[in-house]
Amino acid sequence: MYPTLLLLHSWTRWLVLIFGLIAIFRAFSGWQNRRPYVGADNGMAASFVGSMHLQLLLGLILYFVSPVGAKAFETAGSAVMKDATGRFFAMEHLVMMILAVIIAQVGRIVSKKATDPVLKHKKAFIWFSVALVIVLLMIPWGIWNPERPLFRF
Ligand code: HEM
């Protein structure tokens, strides 16, 4: 179960990033060109937020089966928080990614509630961009945080 979840969680990151970039690009161009809010805008926003929820679900399960998630506290106790890699997976990644999912979801709601199409695009652009920046910062690319494979097989 652990290897399968890790594999899925690793690959779903690309869905989140691709859907996120397209949704943000569409929202920005729609806002700047004062374009109507069409089905494709709604579909891409739903795909981005949906992929974030899927990643959250996989991540939550992974957190309880992975040796670097909750189990790290059992094996290493409070020493986990003193080690940068341990702290990243046991705490920072989890907290910041949950925050990113909440921000993306709020963006989806406020954008849907707006009645003016330009405002719909603008709200989606701002909230989705903040969520995606957090996601980009908290993926373990190995730049400031631990390095994990880009493509896991
Ligand atoms: C959009 C949100 C998220 C993205 C894009 C994301 C992405 C990633 C990536 C790329 C990895 C490295 C996978 C690998 O080694 O191949 C990872 C690891 C991990 N993620 Fe996430 N994650 C997200 C949310 C979460 C959440 C919300 C949790 C927990 C509740 C979580 C828990 C974990 C854990 C425990 C690992 C380490 C797994 C291990 O090495 O055993 N992730 N995540």
Side-chain angles (χ1 to χ4, degrees):
M1 172 146 154
Y2 169 56
T4 314
L5 276 171
L6 184 59
L7 190 77
L8 287 173
H9 193 71
S10 190
W11 280 94
T12 313
R13 138 224 353 222
W14 296 113
L15 277 187
V16 170
L17 295 180
I18 292 166
F19 287 145
L21 285 174
I22 301 175
I24 290 168
F25 176 78
R26 290 196 65 94
F28 184 72
S29 68
W31 170 31
Q32 293 301 309
N33 301 323
R34 308 186 70 79
R35 181 171 55 68
Y37 190 87
V38 296
D41 296 308
N42 187 44
M44 212 28 84
S47 303
F48 171 49
V49 179
S51 67
M52 290 279 276
H53 280 286
L54 174 63
Q55 191 67 328
L56 171 69
L57 179 68
L58 291 170
L60 276 173
I61 308 170
L62 190 56
Y63 190 76
F64 292 99
V65 296
S66 163
V68 297
K71 284 185 188 159
F73 290 104
E74 289 165 28
T75 39
S78 60
V80 178
M81 301 306 276
K82 295 196 180 91
D83 170 64
T85 302
R87 194 172 56 238
F88 179 80
F89 285 115
M91 192 56 72
E92 295 164 351
H93 182 75
L94 156 103
V95 172
M96 294 306 287
M97 289 306 201
I98 291 177
L99 181 69
V101 176
I102 294 172
I103 292 172
Q105 180 62 63
V106 170
R108 174 91 177 119
I109 294 168
V110 295
S111 164
K112 269 179 108 173
K113 277 196 176 160
T115 43
D116 174 47
V118 178
L119 212 56
K120 276 180 176 298
H121 288 303
K122 185 180 172 183
K123 284 179 189 283
F125 173 73
I126 293 169
W127 287 86
F128 289 174
S129 298
V130 175
L132 198 70
V133 166
I134 297 175
V135 168
L136 284 169
L137 284 172
M138 298 314 291
I139 286 178
W141 302 113
I143 303 165
W144 73 272
N145 49 27
E147 184 171 8
R148 287 305 182 90
L150 289 180
F151 305 101
R152 191 179 276 281
F153 294 100

